[in-house]
Protein backbone atom coordinates (compact mmCIF):
# COMPACT_ATOMS: atom_id res chain seq x y z
CA UNK A 1 0.00 0.00 0.00
CA UNK A 2 1.52 3.31 -1.01
CA UNK A 3 1.10 6.56 0.89
CA UNK A 4 -1.73 7.85 -1.31
CA UNK A 5 -3.76 4.66 -0.81
CA UNK A 6 -3.12 4.79 2.92
CA UNK A 7 -4.27 8.40 3.12
CA UNK A 8 -7.41 7.59 1.10
CA UNK A 9 -8.27 4.61 3.33
CA UNK A 10 -7.79 6.67 6.49
CA UNK A 11 -9.80 9.55 5.04
CA UNK A 12 -12.72 7.23 4.24
CA UNK A 13 -12.58 5.60 7.66
CA UNK A 14 -12.34 8.87 9.58
CA UNK A 15 -14.94 10.52 7.35
CA UNK A 16 -17.46 7.93 8.49
CA UNK A 17 -16.35 8.13 12.13
CA UNK A 18 -17.72 11.63 12.69
CA UNK A 19 -17.41 12.71 16.32
CA UNK A 20 -15.10 9.77 17.13
CA UNK A 21 -12.59 10.63 14.39
CA UNK A 22 -10.02 12.43 16.63
CA UNK A 23 -10.05 9.61 19.17
CA UNK A 24 -9.67 7.01 16.42
CA UNK A 25 -6.78 8.96 14.95
CA UNK A 26 -4.99 9.04 18.32
CA UNK A 27 -5.61 5.29 18.63
CA UNK A 28 -4.10 4.85 15.16
CA UNK A 29 -0.87 6.27 16.57
CA UNK A 30 -0.97 3.65 19.31
CA UNK A 31 -1.50 0.70 16.94
CA UNK A 32 0.80 2.13 14.27
CA UNK A 33 3.76 -0.10 15.26
CA UNK A 34 1.59 -3.21 14.91
CA UNK A 35 0.63 -2.13 11.40
CA UNK A 36 4.28 -1.33 10.52
CA UNK A 37 3.34 2.22 9.56
CA UNK A 38 5.99 4.92 9.80
CA UNK A 39 5.27 7.87 12.08
CA UNK A 40 5.53 10.26 9.15
CA UNK A 41 2.72 8.50 7.25
CA UNK A 42 0.29 8.81 10.16
CA UNK A 43 1.22 12.47 10.77
CA UNK A 44 0.80 13.28 7.08
CA UNK A 45 -2.65 11.70 7.21
CA UNK A 46 -3.45 13.81 10.28
CA UNK A 47 -2.56 17.02 8.48
CA UNK A 48 -4.53 15.97 5.44
CA UNK A 49 -7.62 14.92 7.42
CA UNK A 50 -7.75 17.44 10.25
CA UNK A 51 -5.74 20.39 8.97
CA UNK A 52 -2.47 21.67 10.32
CA UNK A 53 -3.35 22.73 13.87
CA UNK A 54 -5.72 19.93 14.85
CA UNK A 55 -3.65 17.32 12.97
CA UNK A 56 -0.43 18.39 14.71
CA UNK A 57 -2.15 18.46 18.12
CA UNK A 58 -3.68 15.00 17.62
CA UNK A 59 -0.36 13.63 16.37
CA UNK A 60 1.43 15.09 19.38
CA UNK A 61 -1.11 13.48 21.72
CA UNK A 62 -0.85 10.14 19.91
CA UNK A 63 2.95 10.17 19.85
CA UNK A 64 3.13 11.17 23.51
CA UNK A 65 0.80 8.31 24.46
CA UNK A 66 2.96 5.98 22.35
CA UNK A 67 6.01 7.15 24.30
CA UNK A 68 4.25 6.32 27.54
CA UNK A 69 3.28 2.88 26.20
CA UNK A 70 6.90 2.37 25.10
CA UNK A 71 8.08 3.17 28.62
CA UNK A 72 5.67 0.68 30.09
CA UNK A 73 6.52 -2.05 27.54
CA UNK A 74 10.25 -1.64 27.97
CA UNK A 75 9.91 -1.89 31.75
CA UNK A 76 7.44 -4.79 31.69
CA UNK A 77 9.11 -7.02 29.12
CA UNK A 78 12.81 -7.75 29.76
CA UNK A 79 13.19 -9.46 26.35
CA UNK A 80 11.95 -6.33 24.59
CA UNK A 81 14.40 -4.27 26.65
CA UNK A 82 17.24 -6.67 25.75
CA UNK A 83 16.39 -6.44 22.03
CA UNK A 84 16.43 -2.65 22.18
CA UNK A 85 19.74 -2.71 24.08
CA UNK A 86 21.22 -4.94 21.35
CA UNK A 87 19.86 -2.61 18.66
CA UNK A 88 21.33 0.37 20.50
CA UNK A 89 24.73 -1.31 20.67
CA UNK A 90 24.54 -2.08 16.96
CA UNK A 91 23.56 1.43 15.83
CA UNK A 92 25.53 3.50 18.31
CA UNK A 93 28.17 1.30 19.96
CA UNK A 94 29.87 2.76 23.02
CA UNK A 95 28.16 6.06 22.55
CA UNK A 96 26.03 8.23 24.76
CA UNK A 97 23.62 10.59 23.08
CA UNK A 98 22.44 13.84 24.57
CA UNK A 99 18.77 14.69 24.90
CA UNK A 100 19.23 17.25 22.10
CA UNK A 101 20.57 14.57 19.78
CA UNK A 102 17.65 12.28 20.55
CA UNK A 103 15.30 15.16 19.75
CA UNK A 104 17.01 15.66 16.39
CA UNK A 105 16.80 11.94 15.67
CA UNK A 106 13.05 12.09 16.44
CA UNK A 107 12.67 14.46 13.48
CA UNK A 108 14.43 12.08 11.09
CA UNK A 109 11.95 9.77 9.39
CA UNK A 110 12.34 6.03 9.82
CA UNK A 111 14.55 6.19 12.92
CA UNK A 112 13.29 3.52 15.32
CA UNK A 113 10.77 5.17 17.66
CA UNK A 114 11.17 2.69 20.52
CA UNK A 115 14.97 2.79 20.31
CA UNK A 116 14.88 6.54 20.87
CA UNK A 117 12.46 6.00 23.75
CA UNK A 118 14.95 3.51 25.18
CA UNK A 119 17.74 6.09 24.93
CA UNK A 120 15.60 8.61 26.78
CA UNK A 121 14.82 6.04 29.46
CA UNK A 122 18.51 5.46 30.03
CA UNK A 123 19.19 9.20 30.25
CA UNK A 124 16.45 9.98 32.73
CA UNK A 125 15.90 8.90 36.33
CA UNK A 126 12.12 8.90 36.62
CA UNK A 127 9.08 8.28 34.45
CA UNK A 128 8.10 11.91 34.90
CA UNK A 129 11.46 13.15 33.63
CA UNK A 130 11.29 10.67 30.74
CA UNK A 131 7.81 11.87 29.75
CA UNK A 132 8.90 15.52 29.98
CA UNK A 133 11.82 15.05 27.57
CA UNK A 134 9.88 12.66 25.39
CA UNK A 135 6.97 15.09 24.99
CA UNK A 136 9.38 17.95 24.35
CA UNK A 137 11.09 15.89 21.65
CA UNK A 138 7.78 15.04 19.97
CA UNK A 139 6.66 18.61 19.35
CA UNK A 140 8.91 19.11 16.32
CA UNK A 141 8.05 15.84 14.52
CA UNK A 142 4.31 16.33 15.10
CA UNK A 143 4.45 19.84 13.64
CA UNK A 144 6.95 19.18 10.85
CA UNK A 145 5.46 15.92 9.63
CA UNK A 146 1.94 17.32 9.73
CA UNK A 147 2.78 20.57 7.98
CA UNK A 148 5.52 19.54 5.63
CA UNK A 149 5.16 15.78 5.47
CA UNK A 150 3.40 15.71 2.17
CA UNK A 151 5.82 18.22 0.67
CA UNK A 152 8.84 16.32 2.05
CA UNK A 153 7.58 13.06 0.61
CA UNK A 154 7.26 14.72 -2.81
CA UNK A 155 10.68 16.40 -2.81
CA UNK A 156 13.13 15.22 -5.44
CA UNK A 157 15.75 12.80 -4.11
CA UNK A 158 18.46 15.48 -3.92
CA UNK A 159 16.32 17.80 -1.79
CA UNK A 160 15.50 14.95 0.60
CA UNK A 161 19.18 13.98 0.73
CA UNK A 162 20.14 17.60 1.43
CA UNK A 163 17.67 17.76 4.31
CA UNK A 164 19.07 14.54 5.82
CA UNK A 165 22.63 15.84 5.44
CA UNK A 166 21.65 19.07 7.21
CA UNK A 167 20.12 17.11 10.10
CA UNK A 168 23.22 14.86 10.22
CA UNK A 169 25.46 17.95 10.38
CA UNK A 170 23.41 19.39 13.24
CA UNK A 171 23.55 16.02 15.01
CA UNK A 172 27.35 15.89 14.56
CA UNK A 173 27.77 19.46 15.81
CA UNK A 174 25.79 18.68 18.97
CA UNK A 175 27.83 15.50 19.46
CA UNK A 176 31.12 17.43 19.27
CA UNK A 177 29.81 20.17 21.54
CA UNK A 178 28.55 17.59 24.04
CA UNK A 179 31.92 15.75 23.97
CA UNK A 180 33.87 18.96 24.59
CA UNK A 181 31.56 19.89 27.42
CA UNK A 182 32.07 16.46 29.06
CA UNK A 183 35.86 16.79 28.72
CA UNK A 184 35.79 20.24 30.30
CA UNK A 185 33.59 18.98 33.14
CA UNK A 186 36.08 16.18 33.88
CA UNK A 187 39.02 18.59 34.18
Amino acid sequence: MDLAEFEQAIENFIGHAGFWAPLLFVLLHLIRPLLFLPVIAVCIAGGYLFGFFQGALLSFIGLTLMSYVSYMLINEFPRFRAKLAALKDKWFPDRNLSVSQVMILRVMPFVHFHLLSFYLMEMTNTRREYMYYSALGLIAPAILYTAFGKAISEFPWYATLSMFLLLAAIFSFIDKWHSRKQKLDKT
Side-chain angles (χ1 to χ4, degrees):
M1 172 183 283
D2 70 357
L3 191 57
E5 291 172 350
F6 170 72
E7 286 177 353
Q8 184 63 40
I10 296 296
E11 181 179 9
N12 290 337
F13 178 73
I14 293 200
H16 290 87
F19 175 75
W20 296 101
L23 177 63
L24 293 172
F25 182 72
V26 169
L27 289 175
L28 177 63
H29 272 287
L30 293 175
I31 63 169
R32 175 195 57 74
L34 302 173
L35 302 173
F36 300 105
L37 294 171
V39 171
I40 192 169
V42 178
C43 291
I44 289 170
Y48 181 74
L49 296 169
F50 298 103
F52 169 69
F53 182 75
Q54 188 177 8
L57 181 62
L58 291 171
S59 287
F60 174 74
I61 292 167
L63 290 170
T64 303
L65 287 173
M66 188 67 241
S67 286
Y68 181 77
V69 168
S70 293
Y71 185 90
M72 301 308 283
L73 288 173
I74 291 168
N75 280 329
E76 287 294 318
F77 297 103
R79 292 175 88 182
F80 184 50
R81 183 183 201 89
K83 286 183 180 184
L84 287 174
L87 188 60
K88 175 189 165 210
D89 291 340
K90 182 179 178 182
W91 280 20
F92 300 107
D94 301 323
R95 185 177 185 134
N96 291 323
L97 298 177
S98 68
V99 174
S100 303
Q101 289 173 308
V102 172
M103 288 179 181
I104 289 170
L105 288 172
R106 284 267 194 224
V107 175
M108 297 176 123
F110 309 111
V111 175
H112 197 286
F113 186 88
H114 299 295
L115 177 63
L116 295 176
S117 294
F118 183 67
Y119 264 102
L120 281 176
M121 283 179 69
E122 288 189 334
M123 287 186 261
T124 56
N125 297 319
T126 64
R127 180 176 55 201
R128 184 178 184 159
E129 185 181 11
Y130 162 81
M131 286 305 300
Y132 171 77
Y133 286 118
S134 186
L136 199 59
L138 292 169
I139 294 170
I143 291 172
L144 289 174
Y145 291 166
T146 302
F148 303 112
K150 191 161 182 69
I152 289 170
S153 68
E154 294 175 356
F155 280 167
W157 68 268
Y158 54 86
T160 303
L161 179 64
S162 298
M163 188 174 69
F164 281 119
L165 291 174
L166 176 64
L167 288 172
I170 293 170
F171 179 85
S172 177
F173 172 76
I174 290 174
D175 184 43
K176 289 178 183 176
W177 177 74
H178 184 68
S179 296
R180 283 187 208 147
K181 186 177 175 187
Q182 283 182 336
K183 286 179 184 176
L184 290 174
D185 289 343
K186 288 180 181 178
T187 58

